[in-house]
Amino acid sequence: AHRVGWIMSGAAAWTATFISIALILKHVQYYTVPRQQRYIVRICLMIPIYAISSWFSYVFYRNAPYFEFVRTFYEAFVLASFFILLVNYLGDTPADQHFAFAGQEPRRLKLTVPFCCVTYNPANRHLIWYLKWGILQYAVVEPVLTVIGVIAQTQNKYCPESLSPKYANLYITCINFISVTVAMYALITLYVTIKDTLAPHRPFFKFLCVKLVVFFSFWQAFLINILANANVIKPTEYWTKANIATGLNAILICFEMVVFALLHVKAFDYRVYRPKERIKQRVWAGLVDSLNPMDLVREV
């Protein structure tokens, strides 16, 4: 059974990876708008990282927590990149971006659930900063949690299959849940505020692709762990509950990434950036620029 799962999840993971790599290569070949495409490349790279790390989690299940840490670490990078991409759609300079908010007609909008009784003014010139802090805090919190998790795992104090207060997993999960929820809520508020302005860029489709991958994978792993702790998932002669939970989550993510890879091809279409002459650029130049994280470090 393990070998069958190994083959099936591997096939799905590499299929998703090849689809995403092909899309990334197209973007860096037609790297005509770096202020947008560097973030698109980073977002698309999420699929291979999720797929391959999940496959490794299945194959090398005893070391699965380390691969999961890689996935969650990059997750924070993706959310921050998506925020900056949306803001860059508003304008090329900070002044243009602020005007996209402050230049709106003053009105009252309702926050989304569960704070729908609270209203805010989208023309508030401080709003973009509040949303920025709400989203980018995750880019700080998650790497710190990753380091703590790795240290705890090496000391046998992490225990991903347990929600006991004796182990670090409970605290890391709770803090991660709060941080990612705040980030996603800020991202939703940003989308609601500027969706009309960004209509030519089809923000809903892009937003859906990012939100589903990040939020759905988190809740999926969380629910599977709850099922394992509630003894709904039973151990077998060869696999513990933790092994089964890890393997199940890994296989699901591998197959889900194929679907999301196809959605990314549609959501982040490279043809928007392809010049009429179809002149291709050097691939390495675009890759190096898009993978250089210093712009994100400056934002944080």
Side-chain angles (χ1 to χ4, degrees), residues 101-102 104-111 119-128 193:
F101 283 84
Q104 296 187 60
E105 181 181 346
R107 64 190 192 280
R108 305 303 298 182
L109 293 178
K110 287 185 177 181
L111 290 173
T119 62
Y120 69 99
N121 178 12
N124 186 331
R125 61 191 181 91
H126 299 298
L127 179 62
I128 189 173
T193 304

Side-chain angles (χ1 to χ4, degrees), residues 24-26 28-29 280-289:
I24 289 171
L25 288 177
K26 287 295 184 181
V28 295
Q29 284 175 343
K280 296 182 179 180
Q281 302 181 20
R282 290 185 302 170
V283 169
W284 290 111
L287 279 177
V288 170
D289 179 72

Side-chain angles (χ1 to χ4, degrees), residues 118-189:
V118 179
T119 62
Y120 69 99
N121 178 12
N124 186 331
R125 61 191 181 91
H126 299 298
L127 179 62
I128 189 173
W129 292 107
Y130 298 148
L131 297 177
K132 178 179 180 179
W133 294 334
I135 295 168
L136 295 187
Q137 55 80 25
Y138 187 57
V140 176
V141 172
E142 188 55 46
V144 173
L145 291 179
T146 299
V147 172
I148 294 173
V150 169
I151 295 173
Q153 177 67 14
T154 59
Q155 301 299 315
N156 295 320
K157 296 294 184 180
Y158 181 62
C159 199
E161 68 272 16
S162 174
L163 292 176
S164 169
K166 296 188 299 182
Y167 298 106
N169 179 48
L170 173 64
Y171 307 104
I172 290 176
T173 300
C174 290
I175 296 172
N176 184 45
F177 170 75
I178 294 171
S179 182
V180 74
T181 301
V182 170
M184 289 304 301
Y185 195 86
L187 200 57
I188 292 171
T189 303

Side-chain angles (χ1 to χ4, degrees), residues 194-271:
I194 62 176
K195 63 180 180 180
D196 294 334
T197 306
L198 296 185
H201 299 283
R202 299 190 303 170
F204 178 75
F205 202 17
K206 294 178 173 64
F207 174 78
L208 198 62
C209 287
V210 173
K211 180 183 177 181
L212 286 179
V213 173
V214 173
F215 213 57
F216 186 75
S217 62
F218 172 82
W219 276 106
Q220 178 176 278
F222 185 70
L223 291 175
I224 289 175
N225 279 334
I226 288 179
L227 292 176
N229 278 276
N231 290 320
V232 175
I233 296 177
K234 304 291 185 181
T236 67
E237 182 180 355
Y238 303 103
W239 284 50
T240 65
K241 290 190 299 182
N243 295 152
I244 296 173
T246 297
L248 178 60
N249 187 50
I251 288 178
L252 288 175
I253 290 178
C254 287
F255 282 97
E256 289 159 3
M257 288 306 107
V258 177
V259 177
F260 285 119
L262 294 172
L263 289 177
H264 275 201
V265 172
K266 185 71 174 178
F268 301 101
D269 192 349
Y270 74 91
R271 291 173 295 182

Side-chain angles (χ1 to χ4, degrees), residues 4-77:
V4 173
W6 183 89
I7 295 173
M8 292 177 62
S9 60
W14 285 106
T15 299
T17 297
F18 288 142
I19 293 172
S20 294
I21 293 299
L23 177 60
I24 289 171
L25 288 177
K26 287 295 184 181
H27 270 287
V28 295
Q29 284 175 343
Y30 301 115
Y31 204 62
T32 54
V33 188
R35 285 182 58 82
Q36 296 175 12
Q37 286 176 282
R38 70 167 60 100
Y39 302 107
I40 291 175
V41 169
R42 294 172 186 177
I43 293 168
C44 292
L45 193 59
M46 169 176 59
I47 300 297
I49 289 176
Y50 267 57
I52 299 302
S53 64
S54 296
W55 184 51
F56 282 176
S57 293
Y58 185 86
V59 177
F60 308 106
Y61 56 89
R62 290 185 177 86
N63 295 313
Y66 296 111
F67 300 116
E68 292 170 2
F69 290 142
V70 171
R71 193 166 63 238
T72 54
F73 181 88
Y74 196 77
E75 185 178 285
F77 191 52

